[in-house]
Amino acid sequence: MTDLFTPIQLGPLELPNRMVMAPMTRNRCPDTVPTDLTAEYYRQRATAGLIITEGAQVSEQGIGYPATPGIHTPEQVEGWRKVTDAVHAAGGRIFVQLWHCGRISHPDFHAGEPPVAPSAIKPAGQAFTYEGPKGFVTPRALETDEIPGIVDQYRHAAACAMEAGFDGVEIHAANGYLIDQFLRDRPNHRTDTYGGSIENRIRFLAEVAEAVCAEIGADRVGVRISPVNRFNDIEDSNPQALFNRVAERLGEIGVVYLHVVEVSMAGEPDASVDFTKLRRRFPGAYMANGGYTKARANATIAEGRADLVSFGVPFLSNPDLVRRLELDAPLNEPNPDTFYGGGAEGYTDYPTLEEVA
Ligand code: PHB
């Protein structure tokens, strides 16, 4: 029977298993450049069927958090090259997540200027800056004629990803960041062709996906969405209709996988979206995410409701998560105090089974 440990073909890549390491922000890249420690962290997790990196900014404009990496300068490409070399030498496969935070940012990151967004609507909550939490500000609404330039930021970042040796990219369209801000009608009040109807709100994502696919090939491009996540003050009046069409449209464009966060940021389920409807509309691989256990992941794959399952925190605290689940071995406890920022502690020092023994 097909389960987590059954190999699968993903575009040109043969994955030895269906366990994906989900993207997780770790805030350990000083000056936005991945380091030797970043390479060691990902190398340790190379037995995953596929690794998706933490979000990497497609431009300076896209930054929203301290010490997050970018994927748009020669220095960043050089830093990521260490990561991809280490993962490949260990037998793994790795995609980089392309990220633009939009309004989930602060003027401190932009020489005092407000961040950009589809509309000038301030999100509730606080930004994380180098000086600690600060209230979000009202973003500047993008002019229609600025949008092609932002689409090009993603295209350029995808080209940088290939130069850095990645196997592909994941477009971050989830969790209330820029693309999600365009998708949903609460933060998007535009009256041009990028706002209003579902088709219009999807336009920015579709243009980004088309540009990235044209640059590196659709079989190396995945997209992540989070239809029921209200994190970052995001919401939509009809998420089922919106994300049905997102799934269909991305299928037309031909991206290789659709990565779906099926829970809220707090991990809660939400019946407002039936994910089987998205799965049915998307012809590529469906990657499920959100608090999956081995048993639930295996059942979901066996029933054909997903092709791949991604795991976040369990991969963070267990570099050898694939082996542990295979053996039904106990898992290391994650330490939330070391999730964001700092050095090796809570990053590269979680032991393997052998090291525990
Ligand atoms: C976070 O830093 O809290 C964060 C970043 C990216 C996400 C979600 C959360 O997609």
Side-chain angles (χ1 to χ4, degrees), residues 44-109:
Q44 291 174 346
R45 289 154 180 80
T47 54
L50 177 67
I51 294 171
I52 303 165
T53 71
E54 62 209 284
Q57 292 93 232
V58 297
S59 62
E60 286 220 7
Q61 185 194 61
I63 196 169
Y65 294 86
T68 49
I71 178 80
H72 56 92
T73 73
E75 294 73 27
Q76 292 159 355
V77 167
E78 206 177 301
W80 281 120
R81 173 54 83 172
K82 297 180 200 170
V83 174
T84 62
D85 281 348
V87 169
H88 289 148
R93 295 139 301 276
I94 183 165
F95 277 32
V96 62
Q97 195 193 47
L98 305 185
W99 193 23
H100 190 309
C101 293
R103 67 179 188 165
I104 303 303
S105 186
H106 190 274
D108 282 10
F109 295 112

Short mmCIF file of all heavy atoms in Angstrom, two decimals, residues 44-109:
data_model
loop_
_atom_site.label_atom_id
_atom_site.label_comp_id
_atom_site.label_asym_id
_atom_site.label_seq_id
_atom_site.Cartn_x
_atom_site.Cartn_y
_atom_site.Cartn_z
N GLN A 44 21.71 18.16 7.94
CA GLN A 44 21.27 17.17 8.93
C GLN A 44 19.90 16.59 8.59
O GLN A 44 19.56 15.50 9.06
CB GLN A 44 21.20 17.82 10.32
CG GLN A 44 22.55 18.19 10.92
CD GLN A 44 22.38 18.96 12.23
OE1 GLN A 44 21.28 19.44 12.56
NE2 GLN A 44 23.47 19.09 12.97
N ARG A 45 19.10 17.31 7.82
CA ARG A 45 17.72 16.91 7.52
C ARG A 45 17.55 16.39 6.09
O ARG A 45 16.43 16.28 5.59
CB ARG A 45 16.80 18.11 7.83
CG ARG A 45 16.70 18.32 9.34
CD ARG A 45 16.37 19.73 9.78
NE ARG A 45 16.29 19.81 11.24
CZ ARG A 45 17.36 19.90 12.06
NH1 ARG A 45 18.59 19.96 11.56
NH2 ARG A 45 17.20 19.92 13.37
N ALA A 46 18.68 16.01 5.47
CA ALA A 46 18.67 15.65 4.03
C ALA A 46 17.98 14.33 3.73
O ALA A 46 17.78 14.00 2.56
CB ALA A 46 20.10 15.63 3.48
N THR A 47 17.58 13.55 4.73
CA THR A 47 16.85 12.31 4.43
C THR A 47 15.36 12.59 4.15
O THR A 47 14.63 11.67 3.77
CB THR A 47 16.96 11.28 5.57
OG1 THR A 47 16.56 11.89 6.79
CG2 THR A 47 18.39 10.75 5.69
N ALA A 48 14.92 13.82 4.34
CA ALA A 48 13.56 14.18 3.92
C ALA A 48 13.41 13.90 2.43
O ALA A 48 14.37 14.07 1.67
CB ALA A 48 13.31 15.67 4.19
N GLY A 49 12.22 13.51 2.01
CA GLY A 49 11.97 13.33 0.58
C GLY A 49 12.29 14.62 -0.16
O GLY A 49 12.86 14.62 -1.26
N LEU A 50 11.93 15.75 0.46
CA LEU A 50 12.20 17.08 -0.08
C LEU A 50 12.30 18.05 1.10
O LEU A 50 11.49 17.96 2.02
CB LEU A 50 11.08 17.52 -1.03
CG LEU A 50 11.19 18.93 -1.63
CD1 LEU A 50 12.37 19.03 -2.59
CD2 LEU A 50 9.90 19.32 -2.36
N ILE A 51 13.29 18.95 1.04
CA ILE A 51 13.37 20.06 2.00
C ILE A 51 12.85 21.31 1.31
O ILE A 51 13.24 21.59 0.17
CB ILE A 51 14.83 20.31 2.46
CG1 ILE A 51 15.36 19.12 3.27
CG2 ILE A 51 14.92 21.61 3.25
CD1 ILE A 51 16.86 19.22 3.56
N ILE A 52 12.00 22.05 2.00
CA ILE A 52 11.64 23.41 1.55
C ILE A 52 12.25 24.35 2.58
O ILE A 52 11.98 24.22 3.78
CB ILE A 52 10.12 23.60 1.45
CG1 ILE A 52 9.52 22.55 0.51
CG2 ILE A 52 9.79 25.01 0.96
CD1 ILE A 52 8.01 22.43 0.64
N THR A 53 13.08 25.29 2.12
CA THR A 53 13.73 26.18 3.08
C THR A 53 12.74 27.15 3.70
O THR A 53 11.64 27.36 3.19
CB THR A 53 14.82 27.06 2.41
OG1 THR A 53 14.16 28.04 1.59
CG2 THR A 53 15.80 26.23 1.59
N GLU A 54 13.19 27.78 4.76
CA GLU A 54 12.54 28.97 5.31
C GLU A 54 12.31 29.98 4.19
O GLU A 54 13.01 29.95 3.17
CB GLU A 54 13.47 29.56 6.36
CG GLU A 54 14.82 30.02 5.78
CD GLU A 54 15.96 29.96 6.78
OE1 GLU A 54 16.04 30.85 7.65
OE2 GLU A 54 16.77 29.02 6.69
N GLY A 55 11.38 30.88 4.37
CA GLY A 55 11.14 31.92 3.38
C GLY A 55 12.38 32.76 3.15
O GLY A 55 13.09 33.11 4.09
N ALA A 56 12.65 33.06 1.87
CA ALA A 56 13.79 33.90 1.50
C ALA A 56 13.25 35.07 0.68
O ALA A 56 12.54 34.87 -0.31
CB ALA A 56 14.81 33.10 0.70
N GLN A 57 13.58 36.29 1.09
CA GLN A 57 13.06 37.48 0.41
C GLN A 57 13.49 37.53 -1.04
O GLN A 57 14.65 37.25 -1.36
CB GLN A 57 13.58 38.77 1.06
CG GLN A 57 13.09 39.06 2.44
CD GLN A 57 14.03 38.52 3.51
OE1 GLN A 57 13.58 37.81 4.41
NE2 GLN A 57 15.31 38.85 3.44
N VAL A 58 12.55 37.94 -1.90
CA VAL A 58 12.85 38.09 -3.33
C VAL A 58 13.49 39.44 -3.64
O VAL A 58 13.96 39.67 -4.76
CB VAL A 58 11.59 37.89 -4.20
CG1 VAL A 58 11.03 36.47 -4.05
CG2 VAL A 58 10.51 38.94 -3.87
N SER A 59 13.48 40.35 -2.63
CA SER A 59 14.03 41.70 -2.84
C SER A 59 14.19 42.34 -1.47
O SER A 59 13.64 41.85 -0.48
CB SER A 59 13.05 42.55 -3.67
OG SER A 59 11.83 42.69 -2.94
N GLU A 60 14.89 43.47 -1.43
CA GLU A 60 14.96 44.24 -0.17
C GLU A 60 13.57 44.68 0.25
O GLU A 60 13.23 44.70 1.43
CB GLU A 60 15.85 45.47 -0.36
CG GLU A 60 17.29 45.09 -0.44
CD GLU A 60 18.19 46.08 0.31
OE1 GLU A 60 17.69 46.99 1.01
OE2 GLU A 60 19.39 45.91 0.17
N GLN A 61 12.77 45.05 -0.74
CA GLN A 61 11.41 45.51 -0.47
C GLN A 61 10.58 44.42 0.22
O GLN A 61 9.63 44.71 0.93
CB GLN A 61 10.75 45.89 -1.82
CG GLN A 61 9.39 46.48 -1.72
CD GLN A 61 8.72 46.50 -3.09
OE1 GLN A 61 8.51 45.46 -3.72
NE2 GLN A 61 8.42 47.70 -3.56
N GLY A 62 10.95 43.16 0.00
CA GLY A 62 10.16 42.04 0.52
C GLY A 62 10.45 41.64 1.95
O GLY A 62 9.79 40.78 2.50
N ILE A 63 11.45 42.28 2.56
CA ILE A 63 11.86 41.85 3.92
C ILE A 63 10.82 42.28 4.96
O ILE A 63 10.15 43.29 4.81
CB ILE A 63 13.27 42.41 4.27
CG1 ILE A 63 13.87 41.67 5.47
CG2 ILE A 63 13.21 43.90 4.52
CD1 ILE A 63 15.35 41.98 5.68
N GLY A 64 10.70 41.47 6.01
CA GLY A 64 9.75 41.82 7.07
C GLY A 64 10.16 41.38 8.46
O GLY A 64 9.45 41.67 9.43
N TYR A 65 11.29 40.70 8.56
CA TYR A 65 11.73 40.17 9.87
C TYR A 65 13.26 40.28 9.99
O TYR A 65 13.95 40.26 8.97
CB TYR A 65 11.37 38.68 10.00
CG TYR A 65 9.89 38.38 10.05
CD1 TYR A 65 9.16 38.22 8.88
CD2 TYR A 65 9.23 38.25 11.27
CE1 TYR A 65 7.80 37.93 8.91
CE2 TYR A 65 7.87 37.94 11.31
CZ TYR A 65 7.16 37.79 10.13
OH TYR A 65 5.82 37.50 10.17
N PRO A 66 13.77 40.30 11.21
CA PRO A 66 15.22 40.34 11.39
C PRO A 66 15.89 39.02 10.99
O PRO A 66 15.35 37.94 11.23
CB PRO A 66 15.39 40.55 12.91
CG PRO A 66 14.06 40.93 13.43
CD PRO A 66 13.04 40.40 12.49
N ALA A 67 17.07 39.14 10.39
CA ALA A 67 17.96 38.00 10.13
C ALA A 67 17.31 36.87 9.33
O ALA A 67 17.65 35.70 9.49
CB ALA A 67 18.53 37.45 11.44
N THR A 68 16.38 37.24 8.45
CA THR A 68 15.84 36.25 7.50
C THR A 68 16.68 36.36 6.22
O THR A 68 17.16 37.43 5.87
CB THR A 68 14.35 36.51 7.19
OG1 THR A 68 14.19 37.89 6.85
CG2 THR A 68 13.49 36.18 8.40
N PRO A 69 16.86 35.24 5.52
CA PRO A 69 17.72 35.28 4.33
C PRO A 69 17.02 35.90 3.12
O PRO A 69 15.80 35.93 3.05
CB PRO A 69 17.99 33.79 4.07
CG PRO A 69 16.77 33.10 4.59
CD PRO A 69 16.32 33.89 5.77
N GLY A 70 17.83 36.34 2.18
CA GLY A 70 17.30 36.77 0.88
C GLY A 70 17.79 35.82 -0.19
O GLY A 70 18.64 34.96 0.06
N ILE A 71 17.23 35.96 -1.41
CA ILE A 71 17.69 35.16 -2.56
C ILE A 71 17.66 36.06 -3.79
O ILE A 71 17.00 35.78 -4.78
CB ILE A 71 16.88 33.83 -2.70
CG1 ILE A 71 17.30 32.99 -3.90
CG2 ILE A 71 15.37 34.07 -2.72
CD1 ILE A 71 18.52 32.18 -3.71
N HIS A 72 18.37 37.21 -3.66
CA HIS A 72 18.39 38.15 -4.80
C HIS A 72 19.73 38.83 -5.02
O HIS A 72 19.86 39.60 -5.97
CB HIS A 72 17.27 39.19 -4.63
CG HIS A 72 17.32 39.95 -3.35
ND1 HIS A 72 17.98 41.15 -3.21
CD2 HIS A 72 16.80 39.67 -2.12
CE1 HIS A 72 17.86 41.57 -1.94
NE2 HIS A 72 17.16 40.70 -1.28
N THR A 73 20.76 38.59 -4.17
CA THR A 73 22.08 39.20 -4.36
C THR A 73 23.15 38.11 -4.55
O THR A 73 22.94 36.97 -4.13
CB THR A 73 22.50 40.06 -3.15
OG1 THR A 73 22.84 39.18 -2.06
CG2 THR A 73 21.41 41.03 -2.72
N PRO A 74 24.29 38.47 -5.14
CA PRO A 74 25.38 37.49 -5.31
C PRO A 74 25.84 36.91 -3.97
O PRO A 74 26.14 35.71 -3.89
CB PRO A 74 26.50 38.31 -5.97
CG PRO A 74 25.80 39.43 -6.65
CD PRO A 74 24.59 39.75 -5.82
N GLU A 75 25.88 37.72 -2.92
CA GLU A 75 26.32 37.22 -1.60
C GLU A 75 25.35 36.17 -1.07
O GLU A 75 25.75 35.16 -0.49
CB GLU A 75 26.42 38.38 -0.59
CG GLU A 75 27.48 39.42 -0.90
CD GLU A 75 27.13 40.33 -2.07
OE1 GLU A 75 25.92 40.55 -2.35
OE2 GLU A 75 28.07 40.81 -2.74
N GLN A 76 24.06 36.43 -1.25
CA GLN A 76 23.04 35.46 -0.79
C GLN A 76 23.14 34.18 -1.61
O GLN A 76 23.05 33.07 -1.05
CB GLN A 76 21.64 36.09 -0.89
CG GLN A 76 21.42 37.23 0.08
CD GLN A 76 20.29 38.16 -0.33
OE1 GLN A 76 19.70 38.01 -1.41
NE2 GLN A 76 19.97 39.13 0.52
N VAL A 77 23.33 34.29 -2.91
CA VAL A 77 23.45 33.10 -3.77
C VAL A 77 24.65 32.27 -3.31
O VAL A 77 24.56 31.04 -3.19
CB VAL A 77 23.60 33.51 -5.26
CG1 VAL A 77 24.05 32.33 -6.12
CG2 VAL A 77 22.27 34.07 -5.78
N GLU A 78 25.75 32.94 -2.99
CA GLU A 78 26.96 32.25 -2.52
C GLU A 78 26.67 31.53 -1.19
O GLU A 78 27.11 30.40 -0.99
CB GLU A 78 28.05 33.29 -2.33
CG GLU A 78 29.46 32.79 -2.45
CD GLU A 78 30.43 33.97 -2.31
OE1 GLU A 78 30.32 34.92 -3.13
OE2 GLU A 78 31.23 33.94 -1.38
N GLY A 79 25.94 32.20 -0.31
CA GLY A 79 25.59 31.57 0.97
C GLY A 79 24.70 30.35 0.77
O GLY A 79 24.92 29.29 1.36
N TRP A 80 23.71 30.49 -0.10
CA TRP A 80 22.80 29.36 -0.36
C TRP A 80 23.53 28.21 -1.06
O TRP A 80 23.15 27.05 -0.91
CB TRP A 80 21.60 29.81 -1.20
CG TRP A 80 20.53 30.53 -0.45
CD1 TRP A 80 20.09 31.82 -0.67
CD2 TRP A 80 19.73 30.03 0.63
NE1 TRP A 80 19.08 32.13 0.20
CE2 TRP A 80 18.84 31.05 1.01
CE3 TRP A 80 19.69 28.81 1.33
CZ2 TRP A 80 17.91 30.90 2.05
CZ3 TRP A 80 18.77 28.66 2.36
CH2 TRP A 80 17.89 29.69 2.71
N ARG A 81 24.57 28.53 -1.85
CA ARG A 81 25.32 27.49 -2.55
C ARG A 81 25.91 26.49 -1.54
O ARG A 81 25.93 25.29 -1.77
CB ARG A 81 26.40 28.16 -3.41
CG ARG A 81 27.37 27.22 -4.07
CD ARG A 81 26.71 26.13 -4.90
NE ARG A 81 26.35 26.55 -6.24
CZ ARG A 81 25.91 25.69 -7.18
NH1 ARG A 81 25.79 24.39 -6.91
NH2 ARG A 81 25.56 26.13 -8.35
N LYS A 82 26.34 27.01 -0.38
CA LYS A 82 26.86 26.12 0.67
C LYS A 82 25.76 25.17 1.15
O LYS A 82 26.01 24.00 1.44
CB LYS A 82 27.32 26.92 1.89
CG LYS A 82 28.46 27.87 1.65
CD LYS A 82 28.79 28.58 2.97
CE LYS A 82 29.55 29.86 2.73
NZ LYS A 82 29.68 30.67 3.93
N VAL A 83 24.55 25.69 1.23
CA VAL A 83 23.42 24.89 1.71
C VAL A 83 23.08 23.80 0.70
O VAL A 83 22.97 22.62 1.05
CB VAL A 83 22.18 25.79 1.95
CG1 VAL A 83 20.96 24.96 2.31
CG2 VAL A 83 22.47 26.84 3.04
N THR A 84 22.93 24.17 -0.57
CA THR A 84 22.52 23.17 -1.58
C THR A 84 23.62 22.13 -1.78
O THR A 84 23.33 20.94 -1.93
CB THR A 84 22.16 23.84 -2.93
OG1 THR A 84 23.30 24.50 -3.46
CG2 THR A 84 21.02 24.83 -2.77
N ASP A 85 24.90 22.57 -1.74
CA ASP A 85 26.01 21.60 -1.87
C ASP A 85 25.97 20.59 -0.72
O ASP A 85 26.14 19.39 -0.94
CB ASP A 85 27.36 22.32 -1.87
CG ASP A 85 27.69 22.94 -3.23
OD1 ASP A 85 27.00 22.63 -4.22
OD2 ASP A 85 28.64 23.75 -3.29
N ALA A 86 25.75 21.08 0.49
CA ALA A 86 25.75 20.19 1.67
C ALA A 86 24.58 19.20 1.60
O ALA A 86 24.75 18.00 1.86
CB ALA A 86 25.67 21.02 2.95
N VAL A 87 23.41 19.69 1.21
CA VAL A 87 22.23 18.82 1.13
C VAL A 87 22.40 17.79 0.01
O VAL A 87 22.12 16.60 0.20
CB VAL A 87 20.94 19.66 0.94
CG1 VAL A 87 19.74 18.78 0.59
CG2 VAL A 87 20.65 20.47 2.20
N HIS A 88 22.88 18.23 -1.13
CA HIS A 88 23.07 17.29 -2.25
C HIS A 88 24.14 16.25 -1.93
O HIS A 88 23.98 15.07 -2.24
CB HIS A 88 23.41 18.05 -3.53
CG HIS A 88 22.24 18.82 -4.07
ND1 HIS A 88 22.36 20.01 -4.75
CD2 HIS A 88 20.89 18.58 -4.01
CE1 HIS A 88 21.16 20.46 -5.10
NE2 HIS A 88 20.25 19.61 -4.67
N ALA A 89 25.23 16.67 -1.28
CA ALA A 89 26.30 15.72 -0.92
C ALA A 89 25.77 14.66 0.05
O ALA A 89 26.22 13.52 0.06
CB ALA A 89 27.48 16.46 -0.30
N ALA A 90 24.76 15.04 0.83
CA ALA A 90 24.15 14.10 1.78
C ALA A 90 23.01 13.31 1.14
O ALA A 90 22.28 12.58 1.82
CB ALA A 90 23.67 14.85 3.02
N GLY A 91 22.79 13.49 -0.16
CA GLY A 91 21.78 12.70 -0.88
C GLY A 91 20.39 13.30 -0.90
O GLY A 91 19.44 12.63 -1.28
N GLY A 92 20.26 14.59 -0.52
CA GLY A 92 18.93 15.21 -0.42
C GLY A 92 18.54 16.06 -1.62
O GLY A 92 19.31 16.20 -2.58
N ARG A 93 17.35 16.63 -1.53
CA ARG A 93 16.79 17.51 -2.53
C ARG A 93 16.20 18.73 -1.81
O ARG A 93 15.61 18.57 -0.74
CB ARG A 93 15.67 16.82 -3.33
CG ARG A 93 16.14 15.63 -4.18
CD ARG A 93 15.18 14.49 -4.11
NE ARG A 93 15.03 14.07 -2.71
CZ ARG A 93 15.87 13.23 -2.09
NH1 ARG A 93 16.86 12.68 -2.74
NH2 ARG A 93 15.73 12.94 -0.80
N ILE A 94 16.34 19.92 -2.41
CA ILE A 94 15.95 21.13 -1.67
C ILE A 94 15.41 22.22 -2.58
O ILE A 94 15.99 22.54 -3.61
CB ILE A 94 17.15 21.63 -0.80
CG1 ILE A 94 16.75 22.86 0.04
CG2 ILE A 94 18.40 21.92 -1.65
CD1 ILE A 94 17.74 23.18 1.16
N PHE A 95 14.24 22.76 -2.20
CA PHE A 95 13.62 23.92 -2.85
C PHE A 95 13.78 25.12 -1.92
O PHE A 95 13.79 24.95 -0.70
CB PHE A 95 12.10 23.71 -3.05
CG PHE A 95 11.69 22.91 -4.26
CD1 PHE A 95 12.48 21.89 -4.77
CD2 PHE A 95 10.47 23.18 -4.88
CE1 PHE A 95 12.07 21.15 -5.88
CE2 PHE A 95 10.04 22.45 -6.00
CZ PHE A 95 10.84 21.43 -6.50
N VAL A 96 13.87 26.31 -2.49
CA VAL A 96 13.89 27.52 -1.66
C VAL A 96 12.51 28.18 -1.76
O VAL A 96 11.88 28.20 -2.82
CB VAL A 96 15.01 28.50 -2.09
CG1 VAL A 96 14.84 28.99 -3.52
CG2 VAL A 96 15.09 29.70 -1.13
N GLN A 97 12.04 28.70 -0.63
CA GLN A 97 10.74 29.37 -0.63
C GLN A 97 10.91 30.86 -0.94
O GLN A 97 11.68 31.56 -0.26
CB GLN A 97 10.04 29.20 0.72
CG GLN A 97 8.55 29.56 0.60
CD GLN A 97 7.86 29.73 1.93
OE1 GLN A 97 8.38 30.40 2.82
NE2 GLN A 97 6.68 29.16 2.08
N LEU A 98 10.19 31.35 -1.95
CA LEU A 98 10.28 32.74 -2.39
C LEU A 98 9.23 33.58 -1.68
O LEU A 98 8.03 33.34 -1.81
CB LEU A 98 10.09 32.84 -3.91
CG LEU A 98 11.03 31.98 -4.77
CD1 LEU A 98 10.79 32.29 -6.26
CD2 LEU A 98 12.50 32.19 -4.41
N TRP A 99 9.70 34.60 -0.96
CA TRP A 99 8.88 35.31 0.03
C TRP A 99 8.94 36.82 -0.17
O TRP A 99 10.03 37.38 -0.34
CB TRP A 99 9.45 34.96 1.41
CG TRP A 99 8.65 35.28 2.64
CD1 TRP A 99 7.32 35.46 2.73
CD2 TRP A 99 9.18 35.40 3.97
NE1 TRP A 99 6.98 35.68 4.05
CE2 TRP A 99 8.10 35.65 4.82
CE3 TRP A 99 10.46 35.31 4.52
CZ2 TRP A 99 8.25 35.83 6.21
CZ3 TRP A 99 10.62 35.48 5.88
CH2 TRP A 99 9.52 35.74 6.72
N HIS A 100 7.79 37.46 -0.16
CA HIS A 100 7.69 38.92 -0.07
C HIS A 100 6.66 39.18 1.01
O HIS A 100 5.51 38.74 0.90
CB HIS A 100 7.25 39.50 -1.42
CG HIS A 100 7.34 41.00 -1.51
ND1 HIS A 100 6.79 41.85 -0.57
CD2 HIS A 100 7.94 41.81 -2.43
CE1 HIS A 100 7.03 43.12 -0.91
NE2 HIS A 100 7.73 43.12 -2.03
N CYS A 101 7.05 39.90 2.07
CA CYS A 101 6.16 40.06 3.23
C CYS A 101 5.06 41.09 3.02
O CYS A 101 4.07 41.09 3.76
CB CYS A 101 7.00 40.46 4.45
SG CYS A 101 8.10 39.14 4.98
N GLY A 102 5.23 41.99 2.04
CA GLY A 102 4.23 43.03 1.86
C GLY A 102 4.08 43.85 3.12
O GLY A 102 5.07 44.31 3.71
N ARG A 103 2.83 44.00 3.60
CA ARG A 103 2.56 44.89 4.75
C ARG A 103 3.01 44.30 6.08
O ARG A 103 2.99 45.03 7.09
CB ARG A 103 1.06 45.23 4.79
CG ARG A 103 0.17 44.03 5.10
CD ARG A 103 -1.30 44.42 5.17
NE ARG A 103 -2.09 43.29 5.67
CZ ARG A 103 -3.34 43.37 6.10
NH1 ARG A 103 -3.98 44.54 6.09
NH2 ARG A 103 -3.98 42.30 6.55
N ILE A 104 3.37 43.00 6.13
CA ILE A 104 3.82 42.39 7.39
C ILE A 104 5.30 42.70 7.55
O ILE A 104 6.19 41.84 7.41
CB ILE A 104 3.50 40.88 7.42
CG1 ILE A 104 2.00 40.67 7.22
CG2 ILE A 104 3.93 40.25 8.74
CD1 ILE A 104 1.08 41.39 8.23
N SER A 105 5.58 43.97 7.80
CA SER A 105 6.93 44.49 7.84
C SER A 105 6.87 45.79 8.63
O SER A 105 5.86 46.08 9.29
CB SER A 105 7.44 44.71 6.41
OG SER A 105 8.79 45.10 6.41
N HIS A 106 7.95 46.57 8.56
CA HIS A 106 8.01 47.82 9.33
C HIS A 106 8.94 48.80 8.63
O HIS A 106 9.92 48.37 7.99
CB HIS A 106 8.52 47.52 10.75
CG HIS A 106 8.38 48.69 11.67
ND1 HIS A 106 9.33 49.67 11.77
CD2 HIS A 106 7.37 49.04 12.52
CE1 HIS A 106 8.92 50.59 12.63
NE2 HIS A 106 7.74 50.22 13.10
N PRO A 107 8.69 50.12 8.76
CA PRO A 107 9.58 51.11 8.13
C PRO A 107 11.05 50.95 8.53
O PRO A 107 11.94 51.33 7.76
CB PRO A 107 9.02 52.46 8.63
CG PRO A 107 7.56 52.19 8.88
CD PRO A 107 7.51 50.77 9.38
N ASP A 108 11.32 50.38 9.70
CA ASP A 108 12.72 50.15 10.11
C ASP A 108 13.51 49.35 9.08
O ASP A 108 14.73 49.48 8.98
CB ASP A 108 12.78 49.36 11.43
CG ASP A 108 12.49 50.23 12.64
OD1 ASP A 108 12.08 51.40 12.44
OD2 ASP A 108 12.67 49.74 13.77
N PHE A 109 12.81 48.49 8.31
CA PHE A 109 13.50 47.67 7.30
C PHE A 109 13.61 48.39 5.96
O PHE A 109 14.18 47.86 5.02
CB PHE A 109 12.73 46.36 7.07
CG PHE A 109 12.70 45.44 8.26
CD1 PHE A 109 11.50 45.20 8.93
CD2 PHE A 109 13.85 44.82 8.71
CE1 PHE A 109 11.45 44.35 10.03
CE2 PHE A 109 13.82 43.96 9.81
CZ PHE A 109 12.62 43.73 10.47
#
